[in-house]
Amino acid sequence: MSVWQTEPNIAQCRSSHPELFRAQRRYLRGVAILALAVVAYYVWFFLQFGITAEQFTRGMGQLGRYFARMFVWHDFASWPFGYYLGQIGITLAIVFAGTLTATFIALPLSFLAARNVMQGRVNGVVALLMRRLFDVLRGVDMAIWGLIFVRAVGLGPLAGVLAIVMQDTGLLGRLYAEGHEAVERSPGRGLSAVGAGNVQKHRFGIFTQSFPAFLALSLYQIESNTRSAAVLGFVGAGGVGLVYAENMRLWNWDVVMFITLILVAVVMAMDVASTWLRQRYITGKTVPLFEAR
């Protein structure tokens, strides 16, 4: 069909359905207003809090020197590799202990926050209070929890484990509850029809369906905490963050780059392992570990 044949059809559609074209114009006008508002915000932000050209130039120069020092490793053979790897091992131990503990705590609490489980007026109040508790726990940053527990239990890995437990209980509890609420209601009704109790309905009618989300979220949180737990060492909660802080203070940026590369390699290995676990226990595929994508 040629252009000359389509133009009358467009005009005819416009005259037959003017409300559709008006809705399209309103949508495009709304998008344009939103884009202008975003641009205006950025302009205001950089005018209010921006840096001068001199600061920008000096900062770029400093950044270039930092990167230059990162890729020139001095006295590499004399580095205390055992100490560095030991601190990375402590960080991984903190991550696994904190995340697994938070998972065991958040899973039963998530049922108390799921609205399709806690039905009725009283149960609804319990679900609301549990969700607000999750908001409080995840609303405080992990580093802040680390500072609190360092003052409470002293320096060391225990403070880091407790910080991860507090934040992940709030985060995973809320996400698990949303996974429970997203399941189909039909299996639960079928279990009720055959006389199943509440625990059986929650176990086989809800958790069976939400298990893939539970596994995926738990594995992802282990990966995320591996990256985030390095910050805990800065506040004295144990792990490789202390190595970061010491070497940044001494301008040993080559050591900082070495530790960063090791952590990136660990995260990549954990990503491969978690992908294999998801394929094995969610889709049922038995993919070799080295072929997991």
Side-chain angles (χ1 to χ4, degrees):
M1 185 177 292
S2 65
V3 177
W4 303 104
Q5 292 174 315
T6 59
E7 286 182 353
N9 292 335
I10 294 176
Q12 183 179 1
C13 291
R14 190 185 299 274
S15 60
S16 301
H17 305 283
E19 67 281 356
L20 296 179
F21 289 91
R22 284 196 298 268
Q24 183 183 24
R25 287 194 296 270
R26 286 196 300 270
Y27 171 76
L28 294 176
R29 188 163 52 249
V31 170
I33 293 173
L34 179 61
L36 289 175
V38 171
V39 172
Y41 168 76
Y42 277 108
V43 171
W44 170 84
F45 179 85
F46 284 108
L47 289 177
Q48 189 74 18
F49 305 104
I51 61 176
T52 64
E54 180 183 357
Q55 290 176 316
F56 180 80
T57 303
R58 185 171 62 251
M60 290 297 102
Q62 291 282 5
L63 188 61
R65 283 193 289 272
Y66 294 158
F67 276 107
R69 295 176 67 92
M70 283 181 180
F71 292 98
V72 179
W73 295 3
H74 302 282
D75 301 326
F76 180 73
S78 63
W79 287 2
F81 294 103
Y83 172 69
Y84 297 154
L85 296 179
Q87 293 300 313
I88 293 175
I90 291 174
T91 300
L92 294 178
I94 292 172
V95 168
F96 277 95
T99 308
L100 292 178
T101 304
T103 298
F104 294 141
I105 296 174
L107 181 59
L109 294 181
S110 65
F111 286 97
L112 299 178
R115 285 185 287 262
N116 59 335
V117 175
M118 304 297 291
Q119 297 180 352
R121 179 174 298 179
V122 177
N123 291 338
V125 173
V126 173
L128 179 63
L129 293 176
M130 189 59 62
R131 284 174 174 267
R132 297 294 77 79
L133 174 62
F134 289 156
D135 291 340
V136 171
L137 293 178
R138 66 191 175 91
V140 180
D141 188 74
M142 186 186 299
I144 304 300
W145 283 121
L147 286 171
I148 294 173
F149 286 113
V150 163
R151 296 298 300 271
V153 301
L155 301 172
L158 179 59
V161 172
L162 293 175
I164 292 177
V165 169
M166 295 300 288
Q167 187 185 53
D168 281 9
T169 298
L171 176 63
L172 294 177
R174 180 60 183 268
L175 295 177
Y176 293 164
E178 292 179 354
H180 300 331
E181 292 177 352
V183 302
E184 290 288 337
R185 303 292 180 91
S186 301
R189 298 191 186 100
L191 289 170
S192 299
V194 297
N198 288 330
V199 176
Q200 293 173 317
K201 289 190 291 185
H202 301 339
R203 165 63 181 86
F204 297 102
I206 295 178
F207 185 63
T208 301
Q209 298 183 69
S210 63
F211 175 76
F214 162 77
L215 180 61
L217 290 171
S218 301
L219 293 173
Y220 172 77
Q221 196 61 23
I222 291 177
E223 299 175 25
S224 177
N225 286 338
T226 303
R227 298 187 296 268
S228 303
V231 181
L232 293 175
F234 283 88
V235 299
V240 76
L242 180 61
V243 180
Y244 271 121
E246 291 175 349
N247 287 279
M248 286 181 180
R249 186 173 59 252
L250 298 173
W251 282 62
N252 294 330
W253 294 101
D254 48 354
V255 178
V256 173
M257 175 57 71
F258 173 75
I259 300 297
T260 302
L261 292 177
I262 295 296
L263 285 177
V264 169
V266 169
V267 171
M268 292 174 63
M270 293 177 64
D271 178 66
V272 173
S274 63
T275 301
W276 181 84
L277 287 172
R278 285 193 294 268
Q279 292 177 340
R280 174 67 178 82
Y281 292 102
I282 295 178
T283 64
K285 297 180 181 178
T286 56
V287 180
L289 184 61
F290 60 88
E291 294 182 4
R293 295 291 186 269

